[in-house]
Amino acid sequence: TNTTVDFGFQDFVLPVELLYFTAKADQERQQIDLSWATASELNNSHFDLERSEDAKAFKPIARIEGQGTTLETTDYAYSDQEVQTGITYYYRLKQVDVDGTFEYSDIRSAKLDKASTEWKVYPSPIGASQQLNVEFYSEATMITFYVMDMDGRRVMSIEQDLTAKGWQSINIDVSALPASTYTILDGQGNMKQ
């Protein structure tokens, strides 16, 4: 016999399908980079990115708009620059639908190491440019450098007010110094020649 059966299949879209959520410390920039992706979204209003220092009390730090409804893979990213070294930070996503319902992701954590004492001095040799460039990381509001001659005498002191923590760059006018080999010291006694 010929029998027709209609199963009534309809197009079906899953709610927000999170592919991954990661938190990674960027030691060079002294920030924590967060990234996640969705395989599809259904009525996704936004994500609230939340942070905690004890993995219990979370506070929102950013709102990232969702795609509404899409069957396309969507990548998201956020860099948390309001962090300090030596503290473990915990993050979670609160995915909020257009009707206000929400769901939390798993918790991720990341920690910045103590700031590196690495810094750069260039050009070396300085040649005719007469400007010495110093790049460094600082969490302080003031930085000091000393230029020393071959006999260990201080021939120049540089103090610089800083407006923000992080990687900084300053220029030092060394045109008044005679041609020679010099050593530059930072405030912690680290040196470059």
Side-chain angles (χ1 to χ4, degrees):
T1 64
N2 287 340
T3 305
T4 303
V5 178
D6 182 5
F7 289 100
F9 286 116
Q10 298 177 359
D11 291 337
F12 181 71
V13 179
L14 294 172
V16 174
E17 184 181 352
L18 191 65
L19 292 173
Y20 65 85
F21 174 46
T22 63
K24 182 180 177 191
D26 183 335
Q27 303 298 341
E28 183 174 330
R29 291 186 176 90
Q30 292 290 291
Q31 65 189 25
I32 296 177
D33 295 327
L34 300 132
S35 60
W36 64 98
T38 60
S40 62
E41 299 181 22
L42 175 63
N43 297 324
N44 182 19
S45 170
H46 64 276
F47 294 94
D48 286 327
L49 183 59
E50 300 181 346
R51 181 180 66 203
S52 171
E53 293 180 22
D54 62 5
K56 296 175 185 172
F58 283 86
K59 294 182 181 177
I61 60 169
R63 176 182 166 134
I64 294 88
E65 296 302 315
Q67 296 298 311
T69 298
T70 180
L71 296 175
E72 302 290 323
T73 299
T74 306
D75 297 308
Y76 295 91
Y78 181 84
S79 293
D80 187 3
Q81 300 175 337
E82 300 298 319
V83 292
Q84 298 177 12
T85 58
I87 298 174
T88 300
Y89 291 97
Y90 301 90
Y91 297 90
R92 70 181 181 188
L93 288 173
K94 179 181 180 182
Q95 183 275 312
V96 183
D97 287 342
V98 293
D99 66 1
T101 60
F102 60 88
E103 186 175 10
Y104 288 109
S105 70
D106 290 337
I107 295 172
R108 300 291 183 254
S109 65
K111 177 181 175 181
L112 291 174
D113 295 334
K114 293 292 183 186
S116 171
T117 58
E118 279 299 311
W119 46 290
K120 301 173 188 173
V121 177
Y122 61 92
S124 182
I126 195 166
S129 74
Q130 308 289 317
Q131 287 286 324
L132 186 64
N133 300 301
V134 181
E135 290 183 4
F136 57 94
Y137 181 86
S138 178
E139 290 186 352
T141 57
M142 168 83 68
I143 191 76
T144 304
F145 290 102
Y146 305 105
V147 178
M148 315 294 282
D149 67 13
M150 292 299 291
D151 295 324
R153 292 183 300 240
R154 186 183 307 169
V155 295
M156 185 181 285
S157 296
I158 301 95
E159 287 189 354
Q160 180 82 31
D161 287 322
L162 305 174
T163 57
K165 72 175 187 173
W167 282 97
Q168 310 282 334
S169 179
I170 62 171
N171 297 320
I172 302 171
D173 182 4
V174 293
S175 59
L177 297 177
S180 183
T181 300
Y182 294 93
T183 301
I184 185 166
L185 299 174
D186 69 4
Q188 286 76 43
N190 301 302
M191 68 176 65
K192 300 281 182 186
Q193 196 172 60

